[in-house]
Amino acid sequence: MSKSIKVVRGMHDIVPQQSPLWQHLEGAVRQVVQGYGYEEIRMPIVEKTELFVRTIGEVTDIVAKEMYSFEDRNGDSLTLRPEGTACCVRAGIENGLLYNQIQRLWYSGPMFRHERPQKGRYRQFHQTGVEVYGLDGPDIDAELIMMTARLWQLLGLDRLELQINTLGTPVARAAHREKLVEYLEMNRDVLDEESLLRLEKNPLRILDSKNPAMQAMIEGAPQLLDYLDDESRTHFETLKSLLDGVGIEYHVNPRLVRGLDYYQKTVFEWVTTDLGAQGTVCAGGRYDGLVEQLGGKATPAVGFAMGMERLVTLIEDRNLVVPDSAPHAYFVLVGDLAVSHGLTLAEKLRSALPMLRLRTHCGGGSFKNQMKKADKSGAPLVLMIGDDEIAQQQVTVKHLREDQPQTSLSFNALVEYLKKIVTG
Ligand code: HAM
């Protein structure tokens, strides 16, 4: 026998036992985003490599080390999308969705980053993202944060901390950057190799370093908050008061700079200490310059994306209730005649009760064998027909998990019986 082929490192199957949890999360996400009037957009998984280089930034980890890029048969360089924001801007410009209009969009799907896999960090992972175009005030920043807070509440996820910061306007950033580079140059001997590389192109990211040897130096570095222009400061203060107004707690983290280059003004992350090192479940911010940078008309933009695997793990670890997705009933069909009768009857039941989850036995076998399969399906109820039931135009109903008497019902009575079970 030849050796079996395994899944690619850092990528995962979502097996049927895990699907109910995913569907539960996806259902909650959809309910919340639609509840705020957002519309879904679906983009391709593959884009031109240049799209990500131009938007995420050449010296970011994603572009420098993590992209799945390849040449297609025409020699074009393509990349499996590492995130959705750049794709969404591209799609917005290309489909004429952005100019002189407001768009509130969301998307969900797989993203790819060649990172070192560990708990909560994968090479294929799923994000749900929300992006808003055409609104430049802090009210929409607040709405996005409120939306995420509502989702946590719906899912029963507490112990998530909201961290916020402002990166200022490009003008404020430039003033800060000048002083920061001066300071970092003075402390060059403390900088590690990675930071030395960043010194030229993205010195702000050095402040995000976790290297213990650099912490004291980072503490003393000029703070962006001290260089904020009035516009960014007012934007940030208004955002904070809007969050205060709805009672959403936050922690201002001046070192929150994010790993992608396109942000300005508001940035935020929802973090937890329950997932080990990969504690950020949702992250985003404002990226007012990006649409223009990609060839569109200047358009303010803000958004976030959440890591679905990390949320699934949190829901799982905390044993939060997930709705049952086992069949309501398993249909046992004994004998050849029962197969044709049963399949027809099952179709009629599904037409009468669209919410019914009914698994019909296929593949024949003894009554005992079929009952074993019924038990394994997790269904609380067995419907049975054999020659006797067919002759009497009845279906036998048996409870598998409750001590209740077996009954025989006509089709109409069975529909009424199942209706009570389906509607709980
Ligand atoms: P990001 O911070 O790179 O931002 O990713 C957002 C979230 O995706 C993270 O907080 C995390 O939950 C999840 N995530 C990222 N990488 C991985 C991974 N390797 N494995 C598992 N989960 C991961 C963005 O992608 C921006 N596009 C967010 C945004 C939207 N900003 C504005 N609009």
Side-chain angles (χ1 to χ4, degrees):
M1 219 164 55
S2 55
K3 210 169 151 231
S4 64
I5 298 172
K6 296 274 176 1
V7 72
V8 175
R9 184 163 133 82
M11 306 197 179
H12 296 275
D13 302 303
I14 297 168
V15 295
Q17 295 92 304
Q18 298 164 321
S19 296
L21 213 161
W22 277 83
Q23 287 168 2
H24 170 65
L25 172 60
E26 288 160 357
V29 167
R30 192 168 303 124
Q31 182 183 326
V32 170
V33 292
Q34 288 177 350
Y36 283 77
Y38 285 59
E39 292 173 300
E40 187 180 5
I41 182 164
R42 299 187 186 202
M43 292 99 50
I45 286 171
V46 178
E47 297 273 359
K48 297 203 173 125
T49 301
E50 196 195 345
L51 174 68
F52 303 112
V53 177
R54 262 168 65 183
T55 54
I56 299 172
E58 251 169 286
V59 285
T60 58
D61 284 349
I62 297 180
V63 170
K65 305 182 208 159
E66 298 169 0
M67 294 208 301
Y68 280 90
S69 301
F70 58 96
E71 261 191 23
D72 76 355
R73 287 169 193 278
N74 302 329
D76 294 329
S77 178
L78 304 181
T79 293
L80 296 183
R81 61 183 185 192
E83 59 109 47
T85 307
C87 314
C88 199
V89 172
R90 198 259 323 127
I93 297 171
E94 200 163 341
N95 294 288
L97 301 177
L98 305 185
Y99 184 49
N100 257 350
Q101 45 191 321
I102 295 169
Q103 292 292 348
R104 301 186 195 206
L105 306 171
W106 69 280
Y107 53 85
S108 202
M111 308 289 160
F112 304 83
R113 296 183 193 176
H114 197 277
E115 296 191 75
R116 203 167 46 78
Q118 61 178 87
K119 187 182 176 199
R121 192 164 70 192
Y122 310 106
R123 290 183 173 172
Q124 175 177 324
F125 59 98
H126 296 77
Q127 281 186 345
T128 295
V130 172
E131 315 286 357
V132 178
Y133 300 98
L135 293 170
D136 60 7
D139 49 354
I140 188 67
D141 302 11
E143 175 174 284
L144 291 180
I145 292 174
M146 287 171 201
M147 181 190 282
T148 49
R150 182 169 294 278
L151 178 64
W152 314 146
Q153 198 185 22
L154 184 66
L155 292 167
L157 287 176
D158 50 9
R159 304 204 301 276
L160 291 180
E161 186 190 72
L162 172 64
Q163 301 195 349
I164 57 172
N165 190 23
T166 178
L167 301 181
T169 56
V171 178
R173 279 253 284 282
H176 169 251
R177 187 191 156 113
E178 201 177 306
K179 292 287 171 212
L180 180 64
V181 172
E182 230 171 70
Y183 175 85
L184 293 169
E185 289 283 6
M186 264 163 36
N187 291 278
R188 220 185 159 88
D189 48 333
V190 191
L191 298 183
D192 58 19
E193 211 176 305
E194 188 155 39
S195 302
L196 284 171
L197 282 177
R198 286 184 167 145
L199 188 55
E200 290 270 303
K201 292 198 168 160
N202 194 356
L204 204 55
R205 278 282 277 155
I206 298 176
L207 303 183
D208 206 19
S209 166
K210 305 281 182 295
N211 184 347
M214 286 170 44
Q215 294 312 303
M217 182 277 295
I218 289 173
E219 290 293 330
Q223 298 261 332
L224 182 57
L225 282 180
D226 298 329
Y227 290 81
L228 281 190
D229 50 289
D230 286 347
E231 187 193 331
S232 306
R233 202 183 294 276
T234 311
H235 190 102
F236 196 50
E237 289 309 316
T238 313
L239 170 64
K240 287 196 286 183
S241 67
L242 289 169
L243 294 177
D244 291 336
V246 286
I248 294 179
E249 286 176 28
Y250 52 82
H251 167 70
V252 177
N253 176 4
R255 286 172 61 175
L256 182 69
V257 296
R258 308 276 301 119
L260 306 96
D261 280 357
Y262 48 60
Y263 294 107
Q264 49 180 287
K265 292 189 182 159
T266 311
V267 287
F268 67 93
E269 290 191 358
W270 285 95
V271 294
T272 172
T273 50
D274 296 353
L275 287 172
Q278 305 306 318
T280 306
V281 294
C282 174
R286 187 161 272 287
Y287 52 98
D288 291 344
L290 196 62
V291 176
E292 201 175 9
Q293 197 186 319
L294 273 181
K297 297 234 160 66
T299 305
V302 57
F304 66 80
M306 48 200 160
M308 301 295 268
E309 277 78 2
R310 294 184 190 179
L311 290 170
V312 163
T313 306
L314 272 189
I315 297 171
E316 215 164 34
D317 288 354
R318 295 188 188 178
N319 285 322
L320 299 171
V321 189
V322 176
D324 190 11
S325 66
H328 295 111
Y330 191 96
F331 208 170
V332 166
L333 313 172
V334 189
D336 291 343
L337 200 55
V339 173
S340 62
H341 265 76
L343 288 179
T344 312
L345 199 63
E347 286 307 297
K348 284 190 186 157
L349 285 172
R350 293 189 184 103
S351 300
L353 299 167
M355 299 303 281
L356 174 68
R357 296 192 299 272
L358 175 63
R359 189 178 296 173
T360 307
H361 183 83
C362 285
S366 68
F367 171 72
K368 200 171 151 203
N369 178 286
Q370 295 196 31
M371 285 303 286
K372 262 195 203 155
K373 296 230 162 75
D375 191 36
K376 221 174 151 202
S377 76
L381 216 60
V382 165
L383 312 182
M384 283 184 286
I385 55 169
D387 291 344
D388 290 350
E389 282 86 356
I390 293 169
Q392 289 157 20
Q393 300 201 340
Q394 299 231 305
V395 176
T396 300
V397 180
K398 184 177 162 61
H399 283 262
L400 284 179
R401 321 201 184 262
E402 272 176 47
D403 194 14
Q404 287 205 37
Q406 183 168 308
T407 47
S408 285
L409 300 171
S410 68
F411 178 78
N412 287 344
L414 180 61
V415 170
E416 288 311 309
Y417 192 93
L418 291 174
K419 194 187 272 176
K420 285 198 200 103
I421 287 172
V422 171
T423 52

